Structure formats: C-alpha cells, structure tokens
Amino acid sequence: TEMEIDPLISELHFQNESENQLRYYSLGGLTIHVLITGVGMTSTAFQMGRVMGRSTYSCALNAGLAGSFNRNLDLGAVVHITDDCFSELGAEDGDRFVPIGEMGLGAVQKVTSECQFPANPALELIPRVNGITVNTVHGNDKSISEIFDRCHPVTESMEGAAFLMACAGAGIPGAQIRAVSNYVERRNREAWNIPLAIRNLNKTILDILRAFS
C-alpha cells in the first residue's frame, strides 16, 4: 500500500506517471519504477503481470509489512523472505489439509527467490527467513497452532508468494523485504507498532537502493 512506502517515495526524484499505475522515479544513477499493487495476492499477481509483460527490469523489490510467528524477532525488525508458500492452496479431507502439491494438479505451492539477485551489500545484511502468504490473516489460537505445525513459518503476509511467483515467471530477480509490525495472535491492534515498522522498512529499502547506485 502507499502508506507502507511513503517515506521512501519522499526521498526519490519524481519523473513521470503512466496510465498503468506505474510511477517513474530516479535516485542517483538508478531508474526506479514504483507500483502500488494493493492488498492481497490476486491484486499483486494481476498488477505485476501487467507491468512485467511490458518492461525489462534488472531486479524487483517487494516492500511491505508482515506479522511474525517468531517472538524472538522484535517489532520493527526487517527480514528478507526468500522462501514463501501459498499455505491455503489445497483441499480439506475431513480434519486433514491436503496441500495442492499432493493433488496431482501441477500447481505450485512453495516459491523461492530463484533468480540470482544483483550483488548488494545492504541486502546481504538482512536476515533471511521463510514465510506464508494468506487471504485471511491468522487470529485464532487453534488455526495459528495448526498452520505453524504444518508450515513452520516465521512471517505471514498477504502478497509475498504472489510477488515471488511473478518474478520467477518473468525471469526477474526479486527480493521480498518486510518489516514486522505485529505478532501473529488474536487480533490486537494496540500491540502493533506500524510506525516503527514503516520507518525501519523504508530506511532499509533506501539503503538497498543506495548500495546499487
């Protein structure tokens, strides 16, 4: 969402805006296209498919917030999610969940940062973790326990796996960078720290861009 990268945009030099929701910026010698995909994996996949079919990129960054299953990560911590999973994709068989990979349909459930990302010292400093991508964020003790036992995720987002799948399909190196705004628990917004997460996320993305330039 725009809120998540407002501080970054204020540091970039605006150039132009296209009809397909792309905004063109520069920073040093870099040309940067900013795409606000909106919330959710469907919107993310659609918007990225439109853009990546028309342009060639050296790399792509997904910047956003995430919930953490791991309480050893402080609120505001920034992580690089290199392995992600469409955790809800599958079927129910009584009390058992059957992942799509076991159904013989040829569908992909897990995605990784397959393409070699350009060397970047700022990116290399960020801890690498695995995550899940969901349509419904977890906020029930039973479902939280079940998904953790099945996937052992560190983070949860609503877009990450769609981003990585789009990058892999287009052959573009992609890095999913997220800051922890909350822990995965029963919904309790008073315990979240969105301002800190946004501040740390944008500083990190700016560091990555400056390391390129």
Side-chain angles (χ1 to χ4, degrees), residues 61 80 117-118 120-128 175 177 208 211-212:
L61 291 169
H80 179 190
F117 203 86
N120 188 291
L123 179 64
E124 291 165 8
L125 293 174
I126 306 172
R128 297 186 171 202
I177 310 300
I208 292 172
F212 277 134

Side-chain angles (χ1 to χ4, degrees), residues 1-12 21 23 25 32-38 61-65 177-178 194 197-203 205-206 209:
T1 62
E2 187 136 10
M3 171 191 73
E4 290 165 289
I5 62 163
D6 260 345
L8 171 67
I9 289 174
S10 68
E11 298 289 335
L12 305 178
Q21 295 183 304
R23 294 183 219 163
Y25 295 86
I32 301 164
H33 293 183
V34 173
L35 175 67
I36 307 297
T37 64
L61 291 169
N62 176 228
L65 305 183
I177 310 300
R178 292 189 175 261
I194 290 177
I198 288 177
R199 185 163 63 248
N200 291 351
L201 171 70
N202 283 266
K203 180 184 181 303
I205 297 296
L206 191 58
L209 294 177

Side-chain angles (χ1 to χ4, degrees), residues 15 42 57 65 78 80 84 94 106 112 134 142 148 153 155 180 211:
Q15 303 292 325
T42 303
Y57 295 98
L65 305 183
V78 178
H80 179 190
D84 213 321
T112 62
V134 297
K142 183 173 183 293
F148 187 81
T155 63
V180 175

Side-chain angles (χ1 to χ4, degrees), residues 148-205:
F148 187 81
D149 289 344
R150 180 158 61 83
C151 298
H152 304 288
V154 174
T155 63
E156 172 180 82
S157 79
M158 302 181 79
E159 303 85 17
F163 165 81
L164 290 178
M165 177 175 278
C167 289
I172 295 171
Q176 182 189 170
I177 310 300
R178 292 189 175 261
V180 175
S181 59
N182 61 283
Y183 295 115
V184 179
E185 60 185 357
R186 185 163 182 173
R187 194 168 178 84
N188 177 18
R189 289 187 66 93
E190 291 183 0
W192 297 8
N193 197 333
I194 290 177
L196 175 64
I198 288 177
R199 185 163 63 248
N200 291 351
L201 171 70
N202 283 266
K203 180 184 181 303
T204 300
I205 297 296

Side-chain angles (χ1 to χ4, degrees), residues 21-55:
Q21 295 183 304
L22 266 183
R23 294 183 219 163
Y24 306 129
Y25 295 86
S26 64
L27 180 71
L30 297 178
T31 298
I32 301 164
H33 293 183
V34 173
L35 175 67
I36 307 297
T37 64
V39 176
M41 62 186 83
T42 303
S43 178
T44 297
F46 172 73
Q47 296 290 358
M48 289 191 65
R50 286 202 312 166
V51 168
M52 288 186 163
R54 299 178 181 179
S55 303

